[in-house]
Structure formats: structure tokens, C-alpha cells
Amino acid sequence: EPSEPPGLAPLSPGALPQAPDLLYADGLRAYAAGAWARAVALLREALRSQAALGRTRRDCGASCAAEPGAALPAQLLGAPEPPGSWETLLLRATLRRADCLTRCAARKLGPGGAARLRVGSALRNAFRRREPYNYLQRAYYQAAYDTGLELLGRQEAGLALPRLEEALQASLAQMESCRAGCEGPEEQQGAEEEEAGSSPGLYEAIAGHWIRVLQCRQRCVADTATRPGRSFPVPDFLPSQLRRLYEAHAQVGNLSQAVENVLSVLLFYPEDEAAKSALTQYQAELGEPRPGLGPREDIQRFILRSLGEKRQLYYAMEHLGTSFEDPDSWTPVSFIPEALREKLREDQETRPWDHEPPQLKSLTYWKDVLLLEGVTLTHDATQLNGSERAVLDGLLTPAECGVLLQLAKDAAGAGARSGYRGRRSPHTPHEHFEGLTVLKAAQLARAGTVGSQGAKLLLEVSERVRTLTQAYFSPERPLHLSFTHLVCRSAIEGEQEQRMDLSHPVHADNCILEPDTGECWREPPAYTYRDYSGLLYLNDDFQGGDLFFTQPNALTVTAQVRPRCGRLVAFSSGGENPHGVWAVTRGRRCALALWHTWAPEHKEQEWTEAKELLKEPEEEEEEDEEEEGGEMPSRDPSPEPPSRKFQRVQDKAGKPPRVREEL
Ligand SMILES: O=C(O)CCC(=O)C(=O)O
Ligand SMILES: [Fe+3]
């Protein structure tokens, strides 16, 4: 029978909260009794109380650590020291520290405050799993970092910098609270060992506890780098933030800050080629040497402290047989005892975030390892009823979609001005179809017809898609882009009534589909070298136009995807993935279509040419774009094999098929 929770006196700010374990227990009882509102209030209050205790521990820890050793009270200092007795000094200092912590807790929490700090470990774990304060702090880091990245993406390095710096500060602060938590009470370990009748002696016990504190502190990096709801840390958390910082500082001309940040990266990775050459460049630009210029102090402190801990942990590992999973890939090899290196190297090979992940892992796994900030796996093959299919979101910011849409529009406008009228789609008479290749985009940018920002983004984004597609589907074997095409399809007004055809008939991308037998012939004129297809959508303000997958009969729809800005649909290009596009009945639908190949000889030459064109705008200025005739697109607008198009979805059923899976 659940006892009634104690009355909840409304807490004035600053008032001492009740002990979190009592509140938590009461909250759980209220929950069990179905008193929801009360349970919520109690649990919230328990969290608030727990956080207050955490703050107390951290503040007391900091102020007691700052107490000078000379402040050892007379009673402890009185006895004459035998030479070299560091034990007595250490143990006295330890007594003193414990005393300081107890008094500090009592000052802050009232008499018996120290006991309050000793929350049971089961409860602590319960709180840790639900730790909303950590989550808030991470969310804060996340918001600042994401805003920073978005601003960087829009070339707003000046605005991005304060955000990026804020994110770094928030990460370091989060790391500090995490570390402070490590000095809390011991986990159950002690009790268990006692029961087993093997309590350690004084020094073993102290060493054991100390090692667990160090292990816990080292885990804080991974803890801080793990986003709420995920189970793996962001790899190389601090170094990657510092990389963004030095690049952004350099962009806005803050050379000395760029140097400080790049030197900080080099503290982690002294051999980092990119950082080394950036440093050389910044130093050259700075001119005379600046003697005071060194790595950031916060990072220097962080690294020194961390290395000190690692040294002890590796020592204990070698000599005391304790375990230590180094969370960092930057630890210098010289820190790792010879005897342990071989074993660690093996372990490292199985560390998920350091290596390209094996194929087709679970959804949760992918949520953790997706390489790009802000990208999430929305649907995997299972959810899409296929074998190699995926929907990923967050590849583009709304601003980036805007830039690419503008590029498509400007390019189409340029085509129209030079006599090109929007041509009818090769797939349907009811839609216009415009396509832009990367090379054409670069040429138009060179000619000043379109902004070069859009053309550059087109290249950058296609590489982004390639990286992800490779990581997801082909981590062992490099994929190359074989063709990149920015395609817009628009409904022709007044021609949409009773429309029964598709915007893009059902097909497979690398073989000729034969719906009657369900076979797919991988032979010319199909683009047989295409191995993976990607469609990166730019907008959703149109009617119709969803992408759908069918069974090999080209008839039964197995999955359907609604386009939207930043959404990538990626799939293997073979007969296992027949797909088509529903009619676009209003508005304009734009997407970046990309095909990847394993065959290096089919690597898109135009991509490299476009890159070159956009690199040196001052060279070859005489090139006359108008001579080209302005006809666009410069290539066959239909990237499909010129094969039979199957309109079976309508032909057989007479009306569009029913959709099994609405996404
Ligand atoms: O735009 C789409 O969603 C699909 C286009 C397509 O399948 C293709 O171009 O091969
Ligand atoms: Fe296709």
C-alpha cells in the first residue's frame, strides 16, 4: 500500500531541497499509486535536488582543492617528520581534504550535509540515466555548435565564431562537472569485495579507489561527446571543434587566434598534416614571429591533466592488472607500455567510431556513427521493405537548399534568355524538365550568369553525399561519383486534370527491368557501371512527386518517400530497387540526382573540371561562354538508359496502385 508522499512545500529559490533519494522514492511510490501529477512534481524535485547536490560537490571539491597545503592544521602538522615519509604527508592531506569537504557540505546543506552527498549508487545510476541537467548542457552545446556550423555553411565565419567558441566552452564545462562527479562515493565494489572476504589493505584500497576515480574521469570525454539518446560518442570531439575554430578564425583574418587554435590541434595530433600546413601558412601571413603565441591555455591544461591520468592508468594496467579503455585516439604511443601496445591495437580495430563501420548495421548503430553533423538515418532497408535502401535527413540546411534552388532557377533563366524554352520532360508531356550538370554550373558561374556560391555548393554537396553513401553501403571499397545532375520537374499548368502518367516511370538505374519476368538485364544501353544511386531533395512545396519503390513487377509499391529539403534517399542501383516518381501536379520539384560507381574509370571527369574552373577565377578570363550556344542542359536530360519505360503502375491496374507504406 503506497504511503502518501509528504506534503510538497513549495521551494523558494535557494532553499535547501530535500534529499533526492527520499524525493525519488516518494516519487516512485506516487507513480506506483497512479498519482501522476504528484509523481511528476516529486520526480522533478528529486532531480532538482540531485543537481543541487552535484553542484555542492563540485563547488566544495574546487574550493577544498584550492586550499593551500600549508593550511594543514596544527594538530596534523605537530609531529616531527621522518625523512621521506610522503605517506604521512599524503594521508594527512587526505584527512584534511575529507574534513574540508565535510565542513563545506555542512555549510551548504546544513548539519549532516556530507551524508546527504552520499547517495546510494543504485539511485545515482537511476539519476545518471535520466540526468536532465547533463542533457540540458549537452543540448546547449549542441545548439551553439549547430548554429555555428550552419553559419559556417553560409560563409558567415564572423557570426559563427562566438557560437563555436561557446560550444567549446560548454563542452569543457560539461567535462568539469562530469569529472567532479567522479569524486563522489565509491560504487558498490567495496561492499561486494568485503562480502567475498577479500577486503584490500590500506594502500590497495586507496590505489583501487584512486584508479576508479581516474577511470571515471577519463570516461568523461566520451560521456560529454555522447549526444542524448545516442550510445556512441562523436569521434574526436575536441580536436574537431578546434579545427572548425582555426579555419573560421583564419577566414575572418584573426590570424593569431587561428594560430592558437591550430597549435591546440597539434597538441592532440602533432603530425596532423592539414594543421601543420595551415600553421605554416598563418605564420607566413603573420610575418614577424610572435613569441607569446602558443596553444590555448584551456586545451593545454586539459591535455596535460589527461596525459597525467593516462600515465597512471597505464601504469596500473601494466603492474596491477587493472583495466583501462582509453577513449582517445590521440594518446601518444609512447604513453602506452610496450607490453600493452599489441593488445590495444587489436582492441582499437574493434572500436566502432574509429573505423568505417561494417555494412547494414541496426538503426541505433547508424544513428551514432553517421559522420556528418546533423545527419540522421530516418529509415533503413527494413523499414523501406528492401535490402539496400536508406533515407537520411539533415544533409542540407534550409539555407543551402535555398542556394541550390536559386542556382537551378538562375541556370534555367539563363537558358531561357538564350532562346531555350523550358523543354518538355522526356518522361511525360505534362511536365517541364530542366537539368544542370556540375560542369555547366561551373561554366555559368565563371561567366557570371549564376553565383559561384551555388556552383561551389553543388560540388561540395555531391561530395557530402558520396562520403555518406560510401560509409553506409560500401565502407570497404571506395565509391566514385559517376554523374551528378540537378533536376527540376515542374507541372505544366492546366494540363493536370485526370493525369494518369508518372513524372518518372518505374525503372532500375543500372539494368533494364523486365517486369513480366521480374528480371533486370545489366547490359547496355543501361548504365551498367552505376552501383549506388542517391537523390538529395531540395524542396517540398509542390503537389505529388513522391518517390516510390516497387517490386520487380514494377507494379506493387513497397515504399514511398516524400521529398523535402536535405533528405537523401540512397539505394543500390540494381533490379532490387525498381523505382519511379509520381506525377508532379503543381509546382516545381528539384532534386540532386547522383550516381556512384565502384569503377574508377567511370569517375565523373566533369566534376574535376568543374572544381578546377571554380578554383582559379582569375585565370583564363577570356573564355567566351556565349559561344556555347546557351542550350541547356548540355547533356541528355534523361540520365536513364534509353530503354523501354514501364508505365505499368497505371497500365495494368488502370489506376495508380495502392501504397502499402506511407512515409
Ligand atoms: O527524382 C527522383 O526522385 C527519382 C529520379 C530517378 O529515379 C532517376 O533520375 O533515375
Ligand atoms: Fe532512377
Side-chain angles (χ1 to χ4, degrees):
E1 210 250 315
S3 68
E4 198 45 19
L8 268 183
L11 282 164
S12 53
L16 280 182
Q18 282 199 47
D21 44 356
L22 295 180
L23 289 162
Y24 186 60
D26 287 339
L28 290 187
R29 267 195 296 275
Y31 183 89
W36 308 123
R38 195 175 210 92
V40 166
L42 282 162
L43 291 173
R44 273 216 191 116
E45 197 48 35
L47 288 167
R48 193 181 94 97
S49 161
Q50 171 77 356
L53 293 186
R55 272 196 303 279
T56 304
R57 183 177 297 118
R58 190 185 56 215
D59 294 350
C60 289
S63 69
C64 290
E67 230 190 20
L72 277 184
Q75 306 99 290
L76 287 177
L77 274 179
E81 290 309 316
S85 78
W86 56 267
E87 304 101 310
T88 14
L89 279 180
L90 168 71
L91 295 175
R92 280 177 203 179
T94 306
L95 281 180
R96 171 64 188 170
R97 177 75 69 91
D99 174 32
C100 174
L101 289 171
T102 309
R103 279 182 297 116
C104 176
R107 220 168 34 247
K108 293 191 184 244
L109 301 171
R116 283 252 211 120
L117 285 180
R118 288 195 282 274
V119 175
S121 73
L123 183 71
R124 264 210 329 278
N125 286 334
F127 277 116
R128 188 168 290 158
R129 281 196 301 276
R130 292 171 179 73
E131 219 150 35
Y133 292 92
N134 275 351
Y135 277 44
L136 275 180
Q137 212 160 11
R138 285 182 210 163
Y140 179 63
Y141 147 79
Q142 186 64 37
Y145 196 54
D146 285 354
T147 319
L149 289 188
E150 194 191 325
L151 288 164
L152 274 189
R154 287 199 256 130
Q155 321 288 326
E156 301 271 23
L159 296 176
L161 273 168
R163 300 281 106 145
L164 295 175
E165 185 62 42
E166 216 175 309
L168 182 61
Q169 296 304 333
S171 325
L172 291 171
Q174 160 75 9
M175 210 97 78
E176 287 311 306
S177 357
C178 173
R179 291 169 59 89
C182 292
E183 283 165 40
E186 269 270 54
E187 301 287 337
Q188 275 151 355
Q189 202 145 0
E192 275 164 20
E193 275 170 12
E194 241 160 71
E195 266 170 41
S198 65
S199 355
L202 172 65
Y203 288 97
E204 292 94 320
I206 295 175
H209 194 155
W210 176 234
I211 286 162
R212 286 188 290 279
V213 168
L214 293 177
Q215 288 166 334
C216 171
R217 286 182 184 169
Q218 286 279 310
R219 275 198 302 272
C220 283
V221 178
D223 225 68
T224 307
T226 304
R227 307 259 178 83
R230 301 202 175 178
S231 34
F232 293 116
V234 170
D236 242 8
F237 188 59
L238 289 177
S240 57
Q241 291 187 63
L242 291 163
R243 289 198 178 95
R244 306 276 184 179
L245 272 168
Y246 81 66
E247 286 163 6
H249 275 300
Q251 266 181 43
V252 300
N254 289 344
L255 281 179
S256 40
Q257 272 147 303
V259 169
E260 284 171 4
N261 283 289
V262 81
L263 284 172
S264 308
V265 172
L266 288 166
L267 284 183
F268 287 103
Y269 294 110
E271 298 307 322
D272 186 304
E273 287 305 327
K276 280 200 288 191
S277 74
L279 178 63
T280 315
Q281 188 194 329
Y282 303 154
Q283 279 169 338
E285 283 172 38
L286 268 174
E288 81 276 22
R290 307 264 170 106
L293 219 50
R296 300 169 61 114
E297 268 178 29
D298 48 4
I299 296 300
Q300 213 167 344
R301 228 176 305 125
F302 171 87
I303 290 185
L304 281 177
R305 196 173 60 181
S306 181
L307 285 177
E309 291 166 0
K310 289 178 196 299
R311 220 186 255 294
Q312 297 175 68
L313 283 164
Y314 279 123
Y315 178 90
M317 199 171 171
E318 191 178 11
H319 298 284
L320 305 174
T322 54
S323 67
F324 170 48
E325 271 177 47
D326 195 333
D328 299 309
S329 48
W330 53 266
T331 308
V333 193
S334 61
F335 269 68
I336 306 170
E338 200 85 54
L340 298 174
R341 284 184 204 166
E342 191 53 42
K343 174 163 183 340
L344 284 175
R345 214 168 293 133
E346 283 165 22
D347 288 355
Q348 247 176 14
E349 261 147 40
T350 57
R351 260 198 330 204
W353 54 88
D354 272 357
H355 263 259
E356 305 237 61
Q359 221 169 315
L360 304 176
K361 286 276 192 170
S362 73
L363 194 63
T364 25
Y365 180 86
W366 271 100
K367 286 212 157 103
D368 294 322
V369 288
L370 281 178
L371 324 143
L372 297 173
E373 289 293 337
V375 174
T376 51
L377 176 68
T378 310
H379 298 288
D380 65 7
T382 315
Q383 293 168 307
L384 293 166
N385 295 317
S387 55
E388 290 196 270
R389 301 175 182 170
V391 177
L392 300 149
D393 274 308
L395 268 87
L396 298 171
T397 63
E400 288 175 326
C401 288
V403 170
L404 293 175
L405 287 167
Q406 189 62 43
L407 171 70
K409 201 166 162 192
D410 292 345
R417 275 198 303 284
S418 55
Y420 164 74
R421 305 254 67 190
R423 42 162 105 175
R424 297 256 167 181
S425 164
H427 309 298
T428 162
H430 305 293
E431 291 176 25
H432 281 150
F433 189 101
E434 312 133 21
L436 183 67
T437 63
V438 284
L439 182 58
K440 190 70 194 170
Q443 289 167 342
L444 290 172
R446 279 291 298 268
T449 315
V450 301
S452 67
Q453 193 199 359
K456 282 186 184 150
L457 187 60
L458 188 63
L459 283 177
E460 191 206 310
V461 161
S462 58
E463 177 57 21
R464 215 180 278 178
V465 171
R466 191 200 63 77
T467 312
L468 268 181
T469 309
Q470 176 178 303
Y472 190 68
F473 288 117
S474 179
E476 315 289 354
R477 195 167 165 198
L479 277 176
H480 313 279
L481 287 169
S482 73
F483 188 39
T484 313
H485 204 201
L486 177 52
V487 175
C488 296
R489 308 154 185 263
S490 12
I492 297 176
E493 271 175 49
E495 291 186 21
Q496 302 300 326
E497 257 81 66
Q498 312 282 285
R499 209 181 134 183
M500 292 296 288
D501 62 347
L502 297 170
S503 174
H504 206 130
V506 177
H507 63 278
D509 285 344
N510 72 12
C511 50
I512 298 164
L513 187 65
E514 203 173 58
D516 290 325
T517 59
E519 292 192 76
C520 204
W521 303 97
R522 196 165 181 173
E523 51 193 43
Y527 295 104
T528 54
Y529 49 84
R530 289 177 176 174
D531 294 301
Y532 287 95
S533 308
L535 294 151
L536 178 59
Y537 297 108
L538 304 182
N539 65 328
D540 64 358
D541 51 344
F542 52 84
Q543 222 167 56
D546 288 11
L547 172 81
F548 62 92
F549 292 95
T550 69
Q551 286 179 1
N553 62 9
L555 199 59
T556 318
V557 175
T558 54
Q560 177 154 316
V561 183
R562 177 72 195 160
R564 64 186 241 197
C565 165
R567 171 167 285 181
L568 173 72
V569 184
F571 48 92
S572 54
S573 307
E576 66 283 8
N577 279 318
H579 58 280
V581 178
W582 296 112
V584 177
T585 53
R586 190 191 297 161
R588 175 184 170 93
R589 172 202 197 263
C590 296
L592 189 56
L594 307 112
W595 288 274
H596 306 82
T597 178
W598 279 317
E601 68 273 22
H602 287 288
K603 193 168 158 172
E604 187 172 25
Q605 292 307 316
E606 291 198 8
W607 198 95
T608 321
E609 282 174 51
K611 184 105 187 156
E612 282 307 309
L613 269 183
L614 291 169
K615 225 188 227 160
E616 304 114 16
E618 59 287 318
E619 286 174 28
E620 300 168 58
E621 241 152 34
E622 303 314 308
E623 209 175 88
D624 190 352
E625 294 295 331
E626 304 311 314
E627 296 290 287
E628 275 203 5
E631 204 237 353
M632 59 162 301
S634 61
R635 280 213 199 170
D636 181 347
S638 162
E640 261 61 51
S643 61
R644 296 188 278 152
K645 306 285 186 188
F646 297 102
Q647 292 278 358
R648 309 253 308 188
V649 165
Q650 293 75 23
D651 295 351
K652 267 200 177 159
K655 58 180 181 205
R658 275 197 293 147
V659 173
R660 249 212 303 162
E661 173 88 11
E662 184 77 42
L663 295 177

